[in-house]
Every structure is written in C-alpha cells, then in structure tokens.
Amino acid sequence: MLQALLIPRRMVMLAIALGLLSLCFIYGRWDWLGEARYQNMMLKGIWNTVSLLVLTMALGMALAIPLGLAQAVGPWYLARPAQAFCGLIRGTPLLLQLFLLYYGIGSLFPGIPGIRESIFWPILRDAWYFAVLGLSLSVAAYEGEVMRGAFKGVPHGQLEAATAMGMPPFTMFRRIWLPQALQRVLPTLGGETVLQMKATPLVAMITVTDIYAVSSRVRAETLIVYEPLLMLALVYMAITGIIVLMFRWFENRVPTRTA
Amino acid sequence: MQALGALGASTLELLAYSPPGWGATLLRGLWNSVQIATGAFALGCLIGIAGAYGKLYGSPWVKDLMAIYTTVVRAVPELVLILILYFAVTDAVNQLVLAMGGSRIEINGVAAGIAVLGIVQGAYATEVLRGAILAVPSGQIEAARAMGMPPLRLAQRITLPLMLSFAIPGLANLWLVATKDTALLAVVGFAELTQVSRQAASTTKAFFTFYAAAGVLYLILSIVSTIGFARLEKWSRRGQRRMGG
C-alpha cells in the first residue's frame, strides 16, 4: 500500500494533489466550519445519512431475499409479480419514486376522514419514514435481481445432498441455500452498498436533513458556492472508503475454497 | 362511483395534450430528457473508449490519472457531482468568455446537462469498455499487429467490433442509468421530465397524477430501450457460435 505510493511519479502526483488541496484551503472560505451551529448540523446530517444507509440496506435485503427466491424458483403467480415489481422500480428514477411516495401518496392521505386524529398521523406526516420506505424498496428491487442469480447459482448437488439427508425444506434453506447464496453476492453487495450510499442525498429533495441537505443550507445561508460542496464530496468519499474496507474485511473472514 | 368517474375525467383533462391540459408539456420534458440522455451517453462512450485505451495501453501517468478519475467519480453521489460540475463548467466557460473580452453568457441548459452527465457516464463507461477490450481474444489483436496494421485501424477493424458484444450488456445498463440520471438535473432547474411534472403537480395540486404519469413515461422509455438493446446485442453477436450450443 505504502510502497505503491513511494514511486517517484506517484509522489509528484501526491505533491500536486496536496498543493491543490492547500490552495483550496488557503483561498477558499472555510470559516463556517468553525461555527458550533454548523458543526452540530453536520454531525447530525452525517448520522442521518449513515443510519438511513444501514437501515435501508437491512430492510431492503430482508425484502430482496423473498423477491429473489420468488423469481428464481417460485411458481408463476409469485415470480411474475416479483419481476414486475423489480422492473417497475428499476425502470423509473428514484427521485421520481420519492416524489410519488411523499408528495403523491402523501397528498392523498388528508382525504381519508379521521386520519389526522389517528396514532399513525405523526408517522404519515414525517418525510423520514417515506425516505426509508422509498430507499428500502429500491434496494429490494435491485438486490432482488442479484439474489435471483445467487440462488440459481448454488450448485444443485448441495441442495440434493441436503434433501437426501432428510432435511426439511426450511432448514435446508436456512443452513445450505441462503448462506451459500449470500456468500456469492458478498463482492457484489459491497458495490451495491456504495451505490445505495450515493442514492441517499436524494432524500434531501423530500425535506429529510441528511448531510447533503445540511450543505445546501450552509450554501444558502453563507452564499458560498463551492466549499460546502467540496466538503460534501470529501464526506461521501470517506464513507465510500469505509464501506469498501468493511466489505473487504468481511470477505476475508468468509472462508472460500479456490480451485 | 360518480366521484370516481369525475376523478377519471379530471385526470384525463389534466393530462390532455392541448393546454389547459399538461400532456404536451410532459412530452416536451420527456423529449428534453431523451436528448440529454442520448448526448450524455454518446459523450460517455467517447470518454469511455479513450479512458479504456488509456487505462490499458497508456503511460503510467495516464493510467494513474484515469484511475483517479474513475475512482473519484464513482465514489461521489451523482447529485453532488452534478452540482459541482454544473457550477464549475458554467463558471469556467464564463471566465473564458470574459477573458476573451466577451460579456457573461447564459449557458444552454441542454449542453450543460450533456457535459455534466457525460463526464459522470464516462467513468463508468471506461470500466465497462476496459473489461470488454480485455475479453477480446488476444490472438486476434496479435494477428492484426503481426500483419502490420496501424493502431487506429486495428482499433477500428478488430478491437472495437469484437468487443461490442461483450460491452453491450454493460452499456445498456449505462444507458438506463443515463435516462434515470437526467431526473437529477431537476435540482439545477432543467425542464426535463421530473422537473416539468413537479411544476405541473405544484400548479394543479394533482401530485399523484403527474408523478404517476411521469413514472409511466420513464417506464415506457426503459422498456423500449431494453428491447432495442436486446436486438442490438443479437446483431453484435452475429456470426458468433452460440454458447453451449
């Protein structure tokens, strides 16, 4: 890692990059970073982004497993709707889906009598839950396709062996089929998590205050054009780096046999 | 039942082609989206071909620079990149015009959108095409070199046609991403489909109708292009032996 950086050409590049960074730092306006108010907002924004990412990945994967299973081996009355759902979500922009959920369906709610008095109203009014729903459905559709391939890719002999041992279907699924399918998707899943992270700033368009929304607010209040955006890019690159490292560590822990 | 009928009638009225209906506006938005997506995809493919050749055959400097380009673009959300590039590109063009003694100009929205999305697409296309070029049997390229074919003709006659069938699935995905990414240009105020339906929705307060209509339009676009790319893939595989055949 370090040795790869010590080649003269890379050291020159590194020096240029550092020079550009310090130029940005000296000539840019960074005073807003010192204000406690903005610091708190940024921390809260990063927390919102990360928790949105973790929550929607978990919910989405939980939905993707039955979706993938239905498409891979399900009867037509399960496979067809699952395919239609995946096609629908993958064929339209996420931004539009979020608009449709929050403004579209949200605008239909007040028409239902008595809904304002019900205990669900605070949830139905909060953009956060719409964001979680929209992003989870998106993960479910994309990962459903991935899981379909993974379920199909598990060698048939493994499942036949489990059946021959008299394993009940659910135990076979839990012990043999799912673990091997998950092991297959692990490299893909890292990339998909990065893609999902890059989808999170869209929730700012439906008033959720993630780190993107915080930088927009800083830009609006201080009238600085570039610096908050550069900070934003840096934050996202850091999160990407953490995701990549985490998945690399995770993949190394899973034993694989290479022929 | 009567209320439902009235709702259906008013929906049709809202989506009618001629004004007061918004049908024409939505279709114009779709046309803008398709234009930007096509331009960005074409620009992305050009950058991708250059980038892939740079990554495979370039000098160490070029290789490292391409690695930085693809890594950074793929690590930062498109929304943020679009904002940074949009301001940077328009600023740079204006500075250039001012330096040449002109006055500030308004940048054409479609051109800026194509440039910004094209740079983003280029990073992904680089990776797709690099993989596709690597999949071309090396004997073919070596044979062409042995025949003394100059590099440009080699690319045009051997490498590019042969890699097409490997690249098309990835490029089809990229095209779908391009059509969907045009929606992000709504944040910088382009009159593309999402922005137009947002305007229509907030003017008429019929949020559900217009977002659903825009969704249907995007869906039609993606279904049509999926069919088109399937045909293109079949065409690019002509003369190849079928796998497992």
Side-chain angles (χ1 to χ4, degrees):
Chain A
M1 182 76 195
L2 201 67
Q3 253 176 350
L5 274 178
L6 286 178
I7 305 167
R9 144 184 117 247
R10 295 221 167 112
M11 284 173 75
V12 172
M13 278 179 162
L14 207 64
I16 294 174
L18 284 178
L20 281 177
L21 260 182
S22 45
L23 274 183
C24 272
F25 207 78
I26 294 164
Y27 290 105
R29 280 189 54 198
W30 297 98
D31 46 318
W32 51 276
L33 268 178
E35 282 182 45
R37 196 167 70 90
Y38 287 141
Q39 281 171 0
N40 286 336
M41 270 163 64
M42 275 171 55
L43 283 181
K44 190 122 186 297
I46 293 175
W47 167 248
N48 274 343
T49 296
V50 171
S51 56
L52 203 58
L53 176 66
V54 173
L55 195 62
T56 57
M57 275 312 281
L59 287 174
M61 275 310 285
L63 267 173
I65 289 167
L67 272 172
L69 206 58
Q71 288 184 80
V73 289
W76 65 268
Y77 52 86
L78 288 179
R80 283 275 145 176
Q83 276 164 7
F85 172 77
C86 288
L88 190 72
I89 300 284
R90 282 152 42 99
T92 51
L94 180 58
L95 183 61
L96 192 80
Q97 290 164 22
L98 290 173
F99 280 164
L100 187 66
L101 280 174
Y102 183 60
Y103 296 111
I105 295 185
S107 74
L108 299 181
F109 282 140
I112 304 168
I115 197 165
R116 277 169 205 277
E117 286 75 37
S118 73
I119 46 165
F120 300 114
W121 185 242
I123 291 180
L124 294 178
R125 213 182 37 183
D126 194 338
W128 171 261
Y129 296 96
F130 286 94
V132 170
L133 180 66
L135 288 180
S136 302
L137 289 183
S138 153
V139 175
Y142 285 92
E143 281 353 276
E145 288 284 322
V146 174
M147 288 311 290
R148 176 180 64 96
F151 279 128
K152 276 191 169 167
V154 174
H156 220 257
Q158 300 273 347
L159 305 180
E160 275 166 12
T163 319
M165 299 292 281
M167 230 181 229
F170 186 72
T171 314
M172 181 185 85
F173 176 73
R174 190 169 53 90
R175 288 215 189 135
I176 315 285
W177 210 359
L178 185 62
Q180 292 198 19
L182 282 180
Q183 189 183 338
R184 264 153 209 281
V185 296
L186 212 52
T188 324
L189 208 57
E192 298 281 335
T193 310
V194 174
L195 285 182
Q196 178 66 12
M197 188 274 302
K198 298 200 305 177
T200 54
L202 290 179
V203 300
M205 299 292 135
I206 58 169
T207 70
V208 174
T209 46
D210 70 331
I211 182 67
Y212 176 84
V214 170
S215 98
S216 305
R217 186 146 163 217
V218 172
R219 292 174 64 210
E221 282 179 8
T222 57
L223 300 177
I224 303 172
V225 181
Y226 291 108
E227 287 82 349
L229 282 177
L230 290 178
M231 185 273 304
L232 197 58
L234 224 62
V235 168
Y236 280 117
M237 281 200 278
I239 299 178
T240 306
I242 293 171
I243 293 172
V244 170
L245 287 180
M246 258 172 62
F247 270 89
R248 195 173 293 166
W249 175 80
F250 212 59
E251 266 173 58
N252 285 338
R253 276 180 52 107
V254 176
T256 46
R257 200 183 65 177
T258 41
Chain B
M1 202 61 217
Q2 211 166 13
L4 213 65
L7 193 72
S10 71
T11 302
L12 277 185
E13 226 165 81
L14 281 173
L15 294 176
Y17 185 75
S18 54
W22 290 78
T25 322
L26 286 188
L27 287 181
R28 215 175 306 132
L30 178 67
W31 172 235
N32 276 347
S33 290
V34 172
Q35 260 182 311
I36 293 174
T38 313
F41 183 66
L43 182 60
C45 283
L46 286 180
I47 296 178
I49 291 174
Y53 271 100
K55 263 197 165 179
L56 287 173
Y57 304 112
S59 67
W61 277 92
V62 174
K63 278 184 188 167
D64 277 3
L65 285 176
M66 293 321 293
I68 292 172
Y69 165 57
T70 52
T71 310
V72 168
V73 169
R74 294 189 307 160
V76 178
E78 281 82 0
L79 192 61
V80 179
L81 279 178
I82 283 170
L83 279 181
I84 294 179
L85 288 175
Y86 182 73
F87 288 117
V89 167
T90 48
D91 230 25
V93 170
N94 263 322
Q95 293 290 343
L96 205 70
V97 171
L98 283 180
M100 290 192 304
S103 56
R104 281 191 95 79
I105 50 166
E106 193 68 32
I107 305 273
N108 180 345
V110 174
I114 287 174
V116 169
L117 278 185
I119 293 173
V120 177
Q121 287 263 311
Y124 290 89
T126 300
E127 294 298 316
V128 169
L129 294 174
R130 188 178 68 98
I133 291 175
L134 279 178
V136 173
S138 52
Q140 302 269 356
I141 297 173
E142 281 161 11
R145 283 212 190 108
M147 300 290 281
M149 220 181 242
L152 261 183
R153 185 171 304 162
L154 192 156
Q156 178 211 335
R157 285 216 185 141
I158 313 287
T159 315
L160 294 181
L162 278 180
M163 65 136 220
L164 199 61
S165 64
F166 300 112
I168 280 185
L171 291 181
N173 259 346
L174 270 184
W175 162 252
L176 288 182
V177 170
T179 57
K180 285 184 286 176
D181 272 359
T182 55
L184 300 182
L185 294 171
V187 288
V188 280
F190 285 151
E192 51 67 57
L193 186 50
T194 301
Q195 171 73 1
V196 161
S197 49
R198 181 155 71 165
Q199 281 166 353
S202 51
T203 312
T204 57
K205 301 285 168 237
F207 290 99
F208 190 78
T209 313
F210 281 110
Y211 290 138
V216 170
L217 287 178
Y218 277 117
L219 208 58
I220 292 172
L221 183 61
S222 90
I223 290 171
V224 169
S225 19
T226 308
I227 296 171
F229 270 106
R231 281 203 179 165
L232 197 65
E233 192 180 344
K234 219 170 151 191
W235 172 79
S236 73
R237 282 190 193 285
R238 73 201 183 283
Q240 278 185 13
R241 225 182 291 169
R242 284 242 327 265
M243 289 282 201

